[in-house]
Every structure is written in structure tokens, then in C-alpha cells.
Amino acid sequence: MSSVTFRELLKNFDPYPYRDFREDILKGKYKKHGKYSYIGPDSEKYDVRNSLNNLSGRQWTHFLSSVEVTAYPVSGPESYAHELRKKHPSPKPPQLMKRIIEFFTKEGQWVLDPFMGVGGTLLGASLSRRNAFGVDISEEYISIYKEVTKKLRLKEQLTLVEDARNLPDVLGDIGEFFDLILTDPPYFNMQSRPKTGEKAKKAGRKYSTPFTEDKRDLGNLENYSKFLYELRRIIGSLVPYLKKGRYLVMFIKDMQPTEEDTYLIHADIVRELSKVPKLEFKGYKIWFDKTQNLYPYGYPFEYVGNIFHQYILIFRKRGKREDPFRRYFSGND
Ligand SMILES: C[S@@+](CC[C@H](N)C(=O)[O-])C[C@H]1O[C@@H](n2cnc3c(N)ncnc32)[C@H](O)[C@@H]1O
């Protein structure tokens, strides 16, 4: 049982206010262009029926590519304090998380990350003026996140050191509160395996770097079926806290196949999470970080690929999304 509830945490939090581009349409700041279409002050075209995000049609379409190729810097101001975040074995770039958050939410909405690490999601939320609640089993990672927010002078979001399995106790009767669940769980026991190639180079060592020594860490489970089952149980317990018609987005990387399993982790997770009531799989994006180097694994004996890409799996909670603006634009939808 957790010692603190989410409601208690919320009492001392000053959230970013909700902002919807349609408020400005009602104030006459956009020019009518078609039945549902308006031209904004930035000369972009917006659709009044858009209850998901604050993007123009062009920006929306840009996100639909199934591949995201990035090359974010790991030093200087654009690295978002990577020198601190790299104490974690696999921090996510805040800019990429911001881009995802901006597609799936509007300003001032709420994002949940049950495996926050050093806070890629939470930093992305602050950069895009969204509110976030992050949980990790490791106190050390959460303190690094807090140090990063101070260094970057970014808003510190709500965090809690807790096992994600206990989140229903923490969230209690808050109900369908979150507008997006964006998370990056352990990829089975990938981190607990000895390192090779790029990972060994980045870590400066070849031995394994599990996220934590904690037995409750999903990355320390020995059995793959148990890992899939536990992840499904955790996600299943969080879907009741996600609003209808809203999304759950999860990063996953496959592992090298072995004689025991093909380890197409992304495909196994899609199958598992499709068993969660009300959750439907909507597709994926592939993320390719171009800054990785190629290693001659297996040479000159056999094929061992360099797994450079990660999957960004996209699920939606069934049901109609609420839209406070629907009544202003009658005849829409
Ligand atoms: C892939 S990392 C997340 C990295 C994060 N996206 C970032 O930008 O730093 C997965 C995280 O899950 C945490 N974790 C593992 N098992 C957990 C559990 N049962 N409850 C909460 N956190 C857990 C680990 O400590 C690790 O930081």
C-alpha cells in the first residue's frame, strides 16, 4: 500500500491550464476557410472538429509517417542535460516525447508514465505545457529527473517512487483522468544481459547494467512469459484511468533471437495488450536514432543484425472522446 495518493500529490501542484485552438476561433482570431476549416494566425489550416490535439492539418499529417528518424545531440543545450540523464542506461530524448505528446494531447492535458526512468516523457510534457505524473521503482532515477528540471529551469512534474503494480492504490477513485499514457517499459531482461557494441561503448563497460537490483523491476524477470503477463496486468490496471477515445503509446525494442524464443517483443506485446478490455491496437511507428554506429557482430561466421530501431506501439481506448467544444460547432462530426 502506497503512503501517498495521487489526489494528495495534486493538492500541491500548479498545472498548466487547458488550451484549445478552438478558443481562439470562437474569439474570432482565425479566418473561416471552409465548412470546418479555419486559417490560423500562423497561416496554417485547422479543423474545428479536432478534439485530439492543437495541430494544423499539415502538422497532423507530418506525424503519420510510420518512420521517425532522429539525430538529437548528446551535448550542449539541445541535449537537455544528457550528461545527467545518461546515468540511466536508456533515457529517451525529450524532444521525441514532446512530438508524441503534441500529437496525442492538447495543452494542459494529463500524461501518465508508469516507468518514467529519468523522465524523457515528463520533460517532453513540460516542453509542450502538458501536465504529467511519472512513477519509477528507482528513487535515484527520479532524483536525476528532478536535478535535470532544475538545471534546465523546466517545470517539475508530479513523480512518485513506487512499483507500477501499486498504481491503482495510488490513483484510487480518480477515474478516467489521463489524456495519454506514454511509456517505455523494460524490454524484458535486455539490460541485464552482457553488453556488446554500441551499448558497451556508451556505458564504457561490457558487463550488464540492469535498471535496478530490485526484484520487482520488470527488467529482472527471468521468464519471458511472466514478463509479458506482468506488463499486461500493469497496463490493464491503468486503462480504467485513461479517458475514452484516448491513446496509450509504448516504446519497445526487440531482442536478438535465440534458440528459446524469436523475441519479437513488439509483436508479443501487441498480442498481449490486445487482450486488455477496451484497448485496441491502432498501429506503430518505427523510431530510428541515426547517431548509432554499426558493429560487425557475427563477422565472419554468421548473420547477427544491428537492431537500431525501436517500435512506438499505438493503442486506443474504445469509446467516444469527450469534446467540450462540440456544442459550439453544431452540425460537425
Ligand atoms: C526503459 S526505462 C525508462 C526510461 C525512460 N523513458 C527515460 O527517459 O529515462 C524503464 C524503467 O522502468 C523502471 N521499472 C522497472 N520495473 C518497474 C516497476 N515494477 N515499477 C516501476 N518502474 C519500474 C526501471 O527502473 C527503468 O527506469
Side-chain angles (χ1 to χ4, degrees):
M1 192 74 177
S2 178
S3 53
V4 64
T5 66
F6 181 60
R7 270 192 201 284
E8 282 161 356
L9 291 174
L10 267 180
K11 278 185 200 153
N12 301 317
F13 186 69
D14 181 21
Y16 287 113
Y18 180 76
R19 194 189 74 80
D20 192 314
F21 71 90
R22 295 173 297 174
E23 289 157 9
D24 287 340
I25 293 184
L26 289 176
K27 286 184 193 151
K29 294 186 182 167
Y30 286 45
K31 225 172 91 205
K32 193 155 171 68
H33 183 260
K35 188 168 177 206
Y36 301 121
S37 169
Y38 285 78
I39 310 278
D42 52 3
S43 308
E44 294 274 333
K45 250 185 241 168
Y46 292 82
D47 191 307
V48 290
R49 294 166 297 179
N50 180 358
S51 61
L52 181 64
N53 57 37
N54 280 339
L55 300 181
S56 68
R58 189 188 59 83
Q59 295 160 341
W60 178 301
T61 307
H62 192 250
F63 187 79
L64 302 182
S65 163
S66 64
V67 186
E68 287 285 320
V69 182
T70 66
Y72 299 121
V74 287
S75 61
E78 289 301 302
S79 81
Y80 291 99
H82 186 258
E83 71 284 1
L84 296 174
R85 294 185 298 109
K86 75 178 182 194
K87 290 183 201 148
H88 187 284
S90 62
K92 284 283 170 296
Q95 301 95 313
L96 176 62
M97 306 316 259
K98 170 178 184 269
R99 180 162 157 75
I100 296 171
I101 291 169
E102 282 178 343
F103 186 87
F104 290 105
T105 59
K106 291 182 185 266
E107 230 175 271
Q109 290 193 317
W110 275 91
V111 184
L112 171 66
D113 185 351
F115 301 100
M116 68 163 270
V118 289
T121 300
L122 274 62
L123 295 166
S126 300
L127 290 170
S128 54
R129 297 179 62 83
R130 271 64 167 177
N131 304 301
F133 177 39
V135 170
D136 201 283
I137 209 163
S138 157
E139 190 165 6
E140 190 195 343
Y141 294 151
I142 294 189
S143 345
I144 295 174
Y145 160 70
K146 291 183 179 172
E147 211 183 321
V148 170
T149 57
K150 286 196 183 76
K151 180 156 188 200
L152 300 175
R153 297 214 179 98
L154 276 177
K155 185 190 188 86
E156 187 183 304
Q157 302 276 359
L158 286 179
T159 57
L160 187 65
V161 181
E162 188 56 85
D163 183 345
R165 293 173 184 88
N166 298 336
L167 262 170
D169 281 345
V170 175
L171 295 170
D173 61 359
I174 201 92
E176 293 182 334
F177 181 88
F178 292 96
D179 300 280
L180 171 66
I181 299 176
L182 172 56
T183 196
D184 175 30
Y187 316 141
F188 182 39
N189 60 15
M190 185 180 292
Q191 288 301 137
S192 314
R193 295 183 166 194
K195 297 192 176 315
T196 49
E198 188 73 0
K199 283 205 206 110
K201 191 176 141 207
K202 281 198 176 145
R205 54 194 179 262
K206 284 207 163 80
Y207 51 82
S208 73
T209 49
F211 292 120
T212 67
E213 301 296 335
D214 198 314
K215 273 213 301 247
R216 298 168 305 167
D217 185 329
L218 251 54
N220 291 338
L221 292 174
E222 301 264 302
N223 179 301
Y224 184 48
S225 311
K226 172 102 173 132
F227 163 79
L228 292 171
Y229 170 76
E230 289 280 307
L231 186 62
R232 164 158 63 96
R233 232 169 41 110
I234 292 173
I235 297 300
S237 77
L238 297 180
V239 169
Y241 297 101
L242 181 65
K243 289 182 184 159
K244 290 184 194 66
R246 292 266 161 196
Y247 291 82
L248 179 143
V249 178
M250 183 182 283
F251 279 77
I252 281 297
K253 188 170 181 176
D254 288 340
M255 294 200 308
Q256 295 286 0
T258 68
E259 277 174 15
E260 293 96 61
D261 206 289
T262 53
Y263 287 124
L264 293 171
I265 308 184
H266 79 280
D268 295 334
I269 287 184
V270 168
R271 209 190 41 239
E272 277 301 308
L273 294 195
S274 299
K275 295 178 196 161
V276 170
K278 299 197 175 149
L279 207 56
E280 56 180 349
F281 178 56
K282 297 302 283 183
Y284 61 78
K285 283 166 84 75
I286 285 176
W287 173 45
F288 170 40
D289 168 10
K290 271 206 304 194
T291 63
Q292 300 165 95
N293 293 315
L294 197 54
Y295 285 85
Y297 302 135
Y299 175 79
F301 304 109
E302 56 182 318
Y303 175 81
V304 183
N306 281 242
I307 305 180
F308 281 159
H309 63 288
Q310 297 203 7
Y311 291 86
I312 304 174
L313 304 177
I314 300 163
F315 299 85
R316 181 179 173 274
K317 179 166 171 178
R318 291 199 177 88
K320 202 170 170 66
R321 201 166 40 243
E322 260 181 31
D323 182 4
F325 281 80
R326 203 180 304 271
R327 64 200 156 104
Y328 295 112
F329 302 107
S330 58
N332 299 333
D333 188 41

